[in-house]
Amino acid sequence: MKAETETAIPVSKNIYDVHRIREDFPILSKKVHDKDLVYLDNAATTQKPIYVIDKVNKYYTTMNANIHRGVHALSQEATEAFEGARIQIKQFINALGKNQVIFTRGTTEAINLVASSYGRKNIREGDEIIISHMEHHSNIVPWQLLCKEKNARLRVIPVNDDGELILEEFEKMVNQKTKFISVVYVSNSLGTINPVKRIVEYAHQFNIPVLVDAAQAVNHLKVDVQELDCDFLAFSGHKIYGPTGIGALYGKVELLESMSPYQGGGDMISKVTFEETTYNELPHKFEAGTPDIAGAIGLGAAIEYVNKVGIENIKEHEQSLLDYATRQIAEVPGLRIIGTAKEKTSVLSFVLENIHPHDIGTFLDFEGVAIRTGHHCTQPLMKRFNIPATSRASFGMYNTKEEVDVLVNGLKKIIEVFG
């Protein structure tokens, strides 16, 4: 195992050394069915650099203790590392204060937190909530539950055949009944980059708050909550090279302070009697119980790692891969790409004529290629395109054009076998 100090990434402004970066991800040297692993399932979860693994390991081996309440040295050290991670997230998304960053288990819990704490207080019978047709189930179901509870209406922004939101229809939907909008920044199924800044600007003309699901955005794009002016933003650690089971919710202070706690328990209180409880200040009001301390520290390390590589460098590299893969895959007979938006990032979803995606995924696995097949937790979107599922290759900072070639050659073999 490398020493922690050796994992800093020397990426110059002009040279993106993908092979040097790959050395930091131990799992990428793994063999699968005696083939070199080609990991193209990054939209599901990314692999972890040794820098992150070391940080998590360091917490458990040198400072394992609970946080915020202990007066002993280990607790102080763990608290400092935990809160340091919060500051790293705050700086990464350009929040005004660290009290705007709430640790959650991930994007799903963050959206549920807002739907529960903000929605139950502010949504009433007859109100309308707007989402889009390309949402992940985690940005559909919480709002469905809220609408059912409040007898409110869920409205859906349609998408065109390229997989882009039809903004003209969105603007027609917004009316005096609209009380909340929750929209995905980057589609996990299509790769479409949505114009969330424009959506926020339009919504704010009518004083409607907007939540941005940035689960598939933070590892590909520079996300600036002040520039977006979004009211809430959610993302998961494991999509951005960090641990699973940890994520973050950003919110504007005035909204967070107006909301009731999502859960009750230790650390979210300042005083408890049997008659009444006084809640802690932000962000602790929403962090009941012992959090995933190691996960938060690991997420902070992942952000530190991404910053060292440079999010703009990553974006440029992944765009190059996507362009290359799109050209190469067009040579595969009977293949149709699902999602051809003008603005998209490193997701390539496709169907092959007369071959089920699960057969494609299984065949490619024996070539060492890991892709995702299925509905990608976006069943309404699959229905929109009149398909049950797609095969999805999704790229990360460590993928190469040579790996794209392995994918394309594997697809051509599938045509020979199934054709």
Side-chain angles (χ1 to χ4, degrees):
M1 182 178 292
K2 292 180 179 179
E4 186 178 307
T5 54
E6 294 176 349
T7 57
I9 309 303
V11 178
S12 75
K13 291 183 179 179
N14 300 316
I15 301 174
Y16 189 94
D17 191 346
V18 66
H19 298 290
R20 168 65 188 87
I21 290 172
R22 289 177 65 85
E23 292 177 1
D24 287 333
F25 292 81
I27 202 170
L28 297 180
S29 61
K30 182 182 177 70
K31 297 282 185 181
V32 174
H33 303 302
D34 294 326
K35 304 285 179 61
D36 291 335
L37 170 65
V38 175
Y39 186 78
L40 301 177
D41 194 18
N42 295 285
T45 195
T46 53
Q47 299 301 339
K48 319 307 173 194
I50 193 68
Y51 189 70
V52 170
I53 298 169
D54 280 352
K55 287 286 187 178
V56 173
N57 185 50
K58 182 180 178 183
Y59 166 74
Y60 282 120
T61 54
T62 70
M63 67 180 86
N64 179 47
N66 214 325
I67 56 172
H68 291 152
R69 296 177 290 275
V71 296
H72 56 81
L74 286 183
S75 179
Q76 296 292 320
E77 195 173 345
T79 300
E80 185 177 343
F82 181 82
E83 291 300 328
R86 197 190 307 274
I87 292 172
Q88 286 169 319
I89 295 170
K90 173 251 177 190
Q91 293 171 339
F92 185 65
I93 62 174
N94 196 28
L96 283 171
K98 70 170 188 173
N99 60 343
Q100 296 178 290
V101 176
I102 298 159
F103 283 115
T104 66
R105 287 187 294 139
T107 305
T108 298
E109 185 177 54
I111 294 173
N112 275 276
L113 190 163
V114 176
S116 178
S117 293
Y118 179 87
R120 283 181 173 167
K121 181 178 180 180
N122 294 285
I123 303 299
R124 296 177 175 80
E125 182 175 351
D127 287 345
E128 295 181 354
I129 297 169
I130 293 178
I131 60 173
S132 85
H133 210 127
M134 66 176 74
E135 301 303 326
H136 189 279
H137 294 166
S138 60
N139 201 24
I140 299 174
V141 180
W143 305 112
Q144 281 181 333
L145 291 170
L146 179 64
C147 286
K148 187 173 182 179
E149 178 182 326
K150 296 290 186 175
N151 199 20
R153 181 186 181 193
L154 190 66
R155 305 194 67 184
V156 181
I157 309 168
V159 301
N160 63 23
D161 291 340
D162 290 326
E164 299 166 319
L165 295 182
I166 304 176
L167 292 180
E168 295 78 9
E169 294 300 319
F170 159 68
E171 293 180 0
K172 290 177 185 175
M173 286 181 186
V174 176
N175 59 52
Q176 60 183 3
K177 296 181 180 177
T178 309
K179 300 301 180 186
F180 200 86
I181 296 169
S182 189
V183 65
V184 67
Y185 200 156
V186 173
S187 165
N188 71 312
S189 295
L190 308 176
T192 305
I193 302 173
N194 287 318
V196 291
K197 181 175 171 59
R198 180 175 166 183
I199 290 172
V200 171
E201 286 176 347
Y202 191 80
H204 283 181
Q205 293 178 43
F206 305 91
N207 296 318
I208 302 166
V210 180
L211 183 150
V212 174
D213 173 354
Q216 300 288 340
V218 289
N219 55 331
H220 303 298
L221 310 170
K222 173 60 181 171
V223 173
D224 185 327
V225 292
Q226 291 190 63
E227 183 182 358
L228 292 175
D229 197 27
C230 55
D231 300 278
F232 300 99
L233 183 135
F235 70 94
S236 301
H238 71 104
K239 309 283 192 188
I240 187 169
Y241 309 101
T244 56
I246 189 74
L249 170 69
Y250 157 84
K252 288 184 175 176
V253 168
E254 62 272 22
L255 291 173
L256 293 174
E257 287 187 335
S258 72
M259 292 158 52
S260 298
Y262 177 53
Q263 297 175 320
D267 218 24
M268 52 76 71
I269 56 90
S270 60
K271 182 180 179 183
V272 175
T273 68
F274 283 117
E275 290 74 31
E276 187 180 17
T277 295
T278 304
Y279 304 127
N280 204 344
E281 60 187 14
L282 291 175
H284 310 296
K285 183 172 77 171
F286 294 104
E287 295 179 350
T290 299
D292 184 353
I293 303 167
I297 293 170
L299 174 54
I303 286 173
E304 191 178 345
Y305 185 89
V306 166
N307 282 335
K308 286 174 179 173
V309 178
I311 194 70
E312 291 298 332
N313 293 328
I314 294 171
K315 178 184 175 184
E316 185 176 341
H317 172 71
E318 292 175 342
Q319 188 63 52
S320 174
L321 278 180
L322 179 65
D323 293 343
Y324 180 75
T326 302
R327 290 195 302 272
Q328 296 300 312
I329 216 167
E331 297 178 3
V332 178
L335 186 144
R336 178 165 63 98
I337 296 174
I338 306 297
T340 52
K342 296 181 184 66
E343 297 292 332
K344 64 178 290 188
T345 187
S346 57
V347 169
L348 196 54
S349 265
F350 56 89
V351 292
L352 268 177
E353 191 175 1
N354 298 325
I355 304 176
H356 196 280
H358 288 179
D359 292 331
I360 297 170
T362 302
F363 188 98
L364 288 175
D365 179 53
F366 281 94
E367 297 293 313
V369 182
I371 65 165
R372 180 54 57 101
T373 61
H375 53 65
H376 316 301
C377 295
T378 56
Q379 287 181 322
L381 186 63
M382 296 295 113
K383 187 176 180 181
R384 160 64 181 82
F385 285 96
N386 197 29
I387 52 177
T390 74
S391 301
R392 182 188 70 188
S394 51
F395 308 108
M397 70 162 78
Y398 36 64
N399 290 124
T400 66
K401 290 181 178 176
E402 290 78 12
E403 290 180 313
V404 172
D405 293 338
V406 175
L407 167 68
V408 174
N409 289 334
L411 292 173
K412 290 178 179 176
K413 288 182 182 178
I414 292 172
I415 299 296
E416 293 175 4
V417 171
F418 287 87

